């Protein structure tokens, strides 16, 4: 019988997902992509990005495991690979490496590149799939949907008020926040890799 998911697990999962989504770190790219839009359209895009992120993460949470099974991918292997990716993202955040993203004038940036892969990228998707495997009961999955919703709301609020947040945080503050998020993310990923390795190689626990 599966135990009910604990509050610390929910909190840790929410922090990990919010960290890898990194809405503060995504602000410069969001502002660059929407710099020619008026404030109403910029806010609408921020709102739509939040909806798209929630949809991507929730589909991954509920169906990701079955998609992996269809391709014959072992979940433990996926957890290790996914968390290695998460660790690399955390390291990139910690060392202030940035990706330059551009879209054509006729393309909406809502889904690509803002929702995918900038915010709900492979790292975030791997996190929610792993969460669903570790916590498979209906109540657990409902908690996972709640986490996705909270993260999506946080992203929506940050992007909705992007110019004000950028002015308040300033470049130095954004750099500090990004590095702190990167350290947290790297630590969480390493702990998850250790857990997956002990599951794959039980002899390591002896």
């Amino acid at each position: 019988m599966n135990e009910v998911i604990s509050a610390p697990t929910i909190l840790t999962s929410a922090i990990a997902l919010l960290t890898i989504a990194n809405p503060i770190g995504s602000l410069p790219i969001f502002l660059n992509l929407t710099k020619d839009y008026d404030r109403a359209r910029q806010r609408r895009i921020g709102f739509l990005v939040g909806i798209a992120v929630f949809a991507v993460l929730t589909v991954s949470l509920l169906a990701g495991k079955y998609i992996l099974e269809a391709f014959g991918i072992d979940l433990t292997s996926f957890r290790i690979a996914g968390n290695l990716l998460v660790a690399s993202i955390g390291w990139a955040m910690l060392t202030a490496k940035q990706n330059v993203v551009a879209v054509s004038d006729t393309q909406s940036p809502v889904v690509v590149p803002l929702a995918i892969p900038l915010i709900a990228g492979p790292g975030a998707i791997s996190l929610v799939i792993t969460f669903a495997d570790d916590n498979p009961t209906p109540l657990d999955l409902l908690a996972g949907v709640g986490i996705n919703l909270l993260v999506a709301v946080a992203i929506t609020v940050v992007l909705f008020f992007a110019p004000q947040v950028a002015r308040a945080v300033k470049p130095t503050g954004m750099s500090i926040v990004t590095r702190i998020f990167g350290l947290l993310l790297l630590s969480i990923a390493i702990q998850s890799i250790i857990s997956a390795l002990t599951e794959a190689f039980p002899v390591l626990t002896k």
Side-chain angles (χ1 to χ4, degrees):
M1 182 176 180
N2 291 308
E3 297 181 358
V4 177
I5 187 171
S6 65
T9 299
I10 293 176
L11 180 60
T12 300
S13 300
I15 291 173
L17 189 57
L18 183 60
T19 298
I20 195 171
N22 190 21
I24 297 296
S26 302
L27 273 182
I29 295 177
F30 173 81
L31 290 171
N32 181 63
L33 291 174
T34 60
K35 64 181 182 297
D36 296 327
Y37 301 159
D38 58 43
R39 282 296 294 129
R41 186 178 181 189
Q42 194 177 55
R43 287 175 174 173
R44 185 166 61 253
I45 288 177
F47 181 74
L48 292 175
V49 168
I51 293 176
V53 167
F54 175 72
V56 170
L57 294 179
T58 300
V59 169
S60 299
L61 176 79
L62 301 177
K65 178 180 177 180
Y66 304 104
I67 294 173
L68 288 179
E69 290 176 351
F71 285 94
I73 300 174
D74 178 72
L75 192 59
T76 301
S77 300
F78 183 82
R79 289 178 62 187
I80 295 172
N83 280 294
L84 283 173
L85 174 61
V86 172
S88 71
I89 295 172
W91 179 256
M93 292 165 61
L94 193 58
T95 54
K97 293 180 180 177
Q98 297 181 348
N99 294 321
V100 178
V101 184
V103 294
S104 66
D105 294 337
T106 58
Q107 178 185 351
S108 171
V110 171
V111 177
V112 179
L114 290 174
I116 305 171
L118 187 61
I119 298 175
I125 291 171
S126 70
L127 280 180
V128 296
I129 292 177
T130 300
F131 177 91
D133 182 65
D134 292 339
N135 309 281
T137 70
L139 283 177
D140 293 343
L141 294 178
L142 184 60
V145 172
I147 290 171
N148 291 347
L149 181 60
L150 286 175
V151 170
V153 168
I155 290 165
T156 301
V157 170
V158 170
L159 297 185
F160 192 85
F161 296 104
Q164 294 90 329
V165 173
R167 282 196 298 269
V169 177
K170 301 183 187 305
T172 300
M174 291 176 65
S175 177
I176 293 172
V177 169
T178 298
R179 282 174 169 79
I180 291 174
F181 275 18
L183 181 59
L184 287 172
L185 188 60
L186 186 60
S187 301
I188 291 170
I190 290 174
Q191 182 60 52
S192 298
I193 290 170
I194 292 172
S195 298
L197 285 173
T198 54
E199 181 180 319
F201 305 102
V203 69
L204 294 177
T205 62
K206 296 181 180 180

